[in-house]
Amino acid sequence: MPTFYLNPRASHAPYPPELQHILNIGAAAESRAWLKHWDRINMQGTPLRELPGLAARLGMKNIVIKDESLRSQVGSFKALGAPIALVRLLLRLMPEKRLNIDALFMGSYRELLQDITVISATDGNHGRALAAAAQSVGCPCVIVLHGGVSSERENAIADYGAKIIRIGGNYDESVEEAARLASENRWYVVSDTSYEGYEDIPRDVMQGYAIIGAEVIEQCLCRQETPAFSHVILQGGVGGFAAGVASFLWQYHGKHRPQLIVVEPREADCLYQSGIAGQPAKATGAVDSLMAGLACGECSPLAWKILQPCIDAFLVIEDEAAVRAMQVLAAGRDQDIPIIAGESGAAGLAGLQTLLADEQLKKKARLDHNAHVLLINTEGATSPSIYHQLVGENALSVKVRQDCWQNRRVK
């Protein structure tokens, strides 16, 4: 059974001034400008895909998905967060050097940075993005992986020259191990989750994710008082992604902001539990999910400062729902474009389908035939063998069908 919680603390007032120092439109714009100097990322804007066939089948006015699988060779939205956090860390560490951002991403300071080691725990995508950025700028990188991370994701990280450390346990235990190793070796943690005394870098990561909100607004040409979407469904995890995107939409649209819903796995329901408690809380499940990027047991306290007043509802879904959503997106039925969405990438659609399958939940979420829904495909087939197993078709085959669809549209 789905679990759905309407947040009584959600506000549709203008973006509060006290949140400006955490996340704001100006810092997102600066991050966006900096990332244009990195040759491993697409800063032209990932596509917004309209899915009219799916919308008609589900009884919605419109369903649009932003495809972050095409953000970079990293294969996920994480390419927006880790590089910006790394750049801001280096600028803070050596302000007297007046580092040039273009030269930094080109590796011109490699000799200067050879003794600055960065480390992070990851379920795969964040570590891959950090390893790629560290390789570009020229500083050593260490990535801590827990037992649930696939060998394919490990190899993808190692391909960027990162040193891999494997531990048993889950994601939260890998976070603890990364913090321990950093303290022991005088390394620098570049993580997307905050904890006591550690907020600057998670804030920088979230600011990078806010770029997605900026692109959506520009691509839709929407005005502040008229959002293009009535509902936006965001993936959970520790909360950094949801906070980054939601904060931008809230600050831009103010009291006119869309309904914001967060979705997460049943076994990793830390945001749902935080919503009920009204403060950061731990997951009640085993923190073991097929949606590896969302299998997090503890909410980021910094992200929660944004999420508590702006997320209208929290939804918990089953792993099977994500698999069905992956298959739906890959199929591209009724003239919709086929989309390659990984397990976590398809979670937004899985959440929408879960809500629409229950009339009571559908009403609570205010989803009717007039709804304009935005989903975000946060990752592609970052573990190709798992994708093939779950979808029944390999990602290359889906890509061929996607290219054929696009070629027909051009003609």
Side-chain angles (χ1 to χ4, degrees):
M1 290 291 293
T3 304
F4 185 72
Y5 180 72
L6 285 173
N7 180 15
R9 302 171 183 86
S11 168
H12 279 259
Y15 193 67
E18 62 269 21
L19 297 182
Q20 291 276 354
H21 74 283
I22 303 175
L23 297 176
N24 61 78
I25 285 176
E30 182 179 54
S31 298
R32 192 177 182 185
W34 287 354
L35 282 177
K36 290 179 180 179
H37 296 284
W38 194 31
D39 62 4
R40 286 176 167 171
I41 195 168
N42 165 23
M43 292 307 294
Q44 299 302 310
T46 53
L48 279 176
R49 311 286 200 187
E50 291 197 22
L51 302 175
L54 179 60
R57 295 199 304 273
L58 295 181
M60 300 287 98
K61 185 74 173 180
N62 194 19
I63 297 175
V64 174
I65 187 165
K66 188 162 175 62
D67 194 357
E68 288 296 303
S69 72
L70 302 176
R71 177 61 68 180
S72 78
Q73 57 187 243
V74 172
S76 79
F77 77 100
K78 295 285 188 176
L80 292 168
I84 283 299
L86 178 58
V87 166
R88 293 191 186 277
L89 169 65
L90 296 175
L91 292 178
R92 285 194 294 268
L93 287 177
M94 46 187 69
E96 75 286 353
K97 299 297 182 182
R98 300 183 181 275
L99 301 178
N100 175 274
I101 304 301
D102 191 11
L104 182 60
F105 276 125
M106 289 177 62
S108 301
Y109 301 106
R110 206 168 283 276
E111 185 175 345
L112 179 66
L113 304 179
Q114 63 183 349
D115 294 325
I116 297 178
T117 299
V118 294
I119 183 172
S120 184
T122 187
D123 283 307
N125 292 337
H126 174 76
R128 189 175 178 185
L130 179 60
Q135 185 183 64
S136 291
V137 304
C139 64
C141 179
V142 178
I143 300 296
V144 182
L145 303 178
H146 61 85
V149 179
S150 71
S151 59
E152 285 177 307
R153 290 190 171 108
E154 175 181 346
N155 292 337
I157 296 169
D159 283 345
Y160 289 109
K163 176 183 178 182
I164 305 296
I165 295 178
R166 276 277 189 180
I167 68 161
N170 58 32
Y171 172 74
D172 299 296
E173 290 167 309
S174 67
V175 170
E176 293 174 2
E177 178 64 6
R180 186 191 70 78
L181 288 171
S183 176
E184 185 177 280
N185 295 284
R186 296 185 179 180
W187 295 339
Y188 296 91
V189 176
V190 179
S191 173
D192 56 357
T193 187
S194 66
Y195 43 84
E196 186 176 354
Y198 183 77
E199 290 192 342
D200 287 349
I201 288 176
R203 178 202 62 213
D204 298 337
V205 171
M206 292 191 293
Q207 202 71 76
Y209 299 160
I211 292 170
I212 295 173
E215 288 184 358
V216 167
I217 287 167
E218 290 179 3
Q219 289 168 317
C220 295
L221 301 175
C222 52
R223 295 176 295 175
Q224 291 179 317
E225 67 275 14
T226 53
F229 303 99
S230 60
H231 296 72
V232 179
I233 302 180
L234 300 166
Q235 286 86 334
V238 299
F241 166 73
V245 178
S247 67
F248 197 101
L249 297 177
W250 185 13
Q251 185 175 357
Y252 182 79
H253 290 298
K255 64 181 181 180
H256 302 289
R257 71 167 178 81
Q259 294 285 311
L260 299 169
I261 300 173
V262 161
V263 61
E264 59 191 338
R266 180 170 297 281
E267 293 298 321
D269 61 347
C270 60
L271 298 181
Y272 172 85
Q273 295 299 334
S274 298
I276 294 174
Q279 62 184 10
K282 295 184 178 181
T284 56
V287 195
D288 181 19
S289 171
L290 189 65
M291 295 170 270
L294 308 181
C296 306
E298 295 188 38
C299 167
S300 169
L302 186 64
W304 186 247
K305 292 179 181 179
I306 301 288
L307 298 177
Q308 177 171 289
C310 79
I311 298 303
D312 295 287
F314 299 90
L315 174 66
V316 172
I317 62 170
E318 308 294 343
D319 281 3
E320 293 78 9
V323 175
R324 290 193 294 271
M326 292 172 68
Q327 295 168 348
V328 167
L329 290 169
R333 284 178 51 199
D334 301 326
Q335 299 184 334
D336 288 348
I337 184 172
I339 292 174
I340 302 168
E343 309 91 282
S344 298
L349 175 57
L352 177 62
Q353 292 177 309
T354 298
L355 290 172
L356 297 178
D358 186 307
E359 282 299 321
Q360 288 189 332
L361 295 185
K362 181 178 175 181
K363 289 180 180 178
K364 287 182 179 179
R366 302 179 187 176
L367 286 164
D368 58 27
H369 64 280
N370 291 313
H372 292 255
V373 181
L374 173 65
L375 310 172
I376 300 176
N377 175 25
T378 53
E379 65 171 1
T382 53
S383 187
S385 66
I386 293 177
Y387 182 88
H388 191 178
Q389 175 187 347
L390 297 177
V391 175
E393 181 180 5
N394 64 49
L396 180 59
S397 174
V398 179
K399 180 65 167 60
V400 169
R401 292 193 292 106
Q402 185 184 80
D403 291 342
C404 289
W405 185 96
Q406 291 176 314
N407 290 335
R408 288 197 303 269
R409 289 295 295 267
V410 170
K411 293 178 181 179

